[in-house]
Amino acid sequence: NDSAKTFLDAHKRFPQADKGPETLLKLGMSLAALKNRDTACATYREVLVSYPGSSKAIRTKVAHEQKLSSC
């Protein structure tokens, strides 16, 4: 729960930071670990929408996490 709050706060404060996509991805992963699947899936989608130019590694990790969460 603390991790999710930390990632959410970091993303809200610095959405355009270089680590923006990674922060949002980790927020989704934290939410998934908390069994908050719907919000986790929405967060994964938001990574791809908000950061269309994110690295291939980030996009691959998002796809992997979406599959694990059955998004």
Side-chain angles (χ1 to χ4, degrees):
N1 198 21
D2 289 340
S3 295
K5 288 178 185 176
T6 300
F7 290 125
L8 178 60
D9 182 52
H11 183 70
K12 282 184 176 180
R13 292 179 65 199
F14 308 105
Q16 298 307 318
D18 290 343
K19 296 283 185 179
E22 187 174 341
T23 302
L24 202 54
L25 169 61
K26 289 183 178 181
L27 172 59
M29 293 168 66
S30 296
L31 291 167
L34 293 169
K35 308 294 186 218
N36 194 340
R37 183 178 113 11
D38 291 341
T39 307
C41 290
T43 303
Y44 296 141
R45 284 190 302 274
E46 188 62 28
V47 173
L48 302 175
V49 170
S50 294
Y51 303 99
S54 59
S55 70
K56 182 178 180 180
I58 292 290
R59 292 190 316 268
T60 300
K61 184 67 174 171
V62 167
H64 175 74
E65 294 298 327
Q66 285 175 318
K67 186 174 182 178
L68 286 177
S69 294
S70 300
C71 296

